[in-house]
């Protein structure tokens, strides 16, 4: 579990940045791919709210509806902070016992 958390914590900022860059470039497919990968990882770790936000963004990007992606990425970044904090605590607990 610690390895999965480490991988998530390492790759998630890259995925979020990739989605942001895709949005800036009006590249819906890039946004979709980044959110799909991020959402899958979040789902595997039980971060359901984060995964749901990613699915919503992925769906909008698939439809090339990028107007809603900017606000969604802000919400996603906020949720990601919560998830990161929880996972860091989980990791600490796993390494203690």
């Amino acid at each position: 579990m610690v390895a999965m958390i480490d991988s998530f914590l390492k790759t998630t900022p890259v995925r979020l940045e990739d989605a942001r860059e895709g949005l800036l470039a009006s590249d819906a497919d890039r946004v979709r791919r980044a959110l799909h990968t991020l959402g899958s990882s979040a789902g595997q770790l039980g971060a359901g709210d984060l995964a749901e936000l990613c699915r919503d963004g992925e769906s909008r990007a698939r439809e090339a509806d990028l107007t809603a992606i900017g606000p969604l990425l802000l919400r996603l970044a906020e949720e990601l902070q919560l998830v990161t904090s929880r996972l860091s605590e989980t990791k600490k607990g796993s390494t203690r016992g």
Side-chain angles (χ1 to χ4, degrees), residues 19-63:
R20 287 179 179 138
E21 289 176 5
L23 177 61
L24 290 173
S26 297
D27 185 342
D29 193 53
R30 183 174 177 182
V31 172
R32 184 195 58 75
R33 286 191 317 268
L35 293 179
H36 175 80
T37 303
L38 180 56
S40 294
S41 297
Q44 289 175 350
L45 289 171
D49 291 342
L50 182 61
E52 182 61 34
L53 284 170
C54 289
R55 281 191 295 273
D56 183 29
E58 183 183 353
S59 175
R60 290 172 188 273
R62 188 178 298 109
E63 296 169 5

Side-chain angles (χ1 to χ4, degrees), residues 44-83:
Q44 289 175 350
L45 289 171
D49 291 342
L50 182 61
E52 182 61 34
L53 284 170
C54 289
R55 281 191 295 273
D56 183 29
E58 183 183 353
S59 175
R60 290 172 188 273
R62 188 178 298 109
E63 296 169 5
D65 177 13
L66 295 180
T67 57
I69 297 292
L72 187 137
L73 289 180
L74 292 174
R75 289 188 9 240
L76 201 147
E78 291 170 359
E79 182 63 25
L80 183 57
Q81 286 181 337
L82 296 173
V83 169

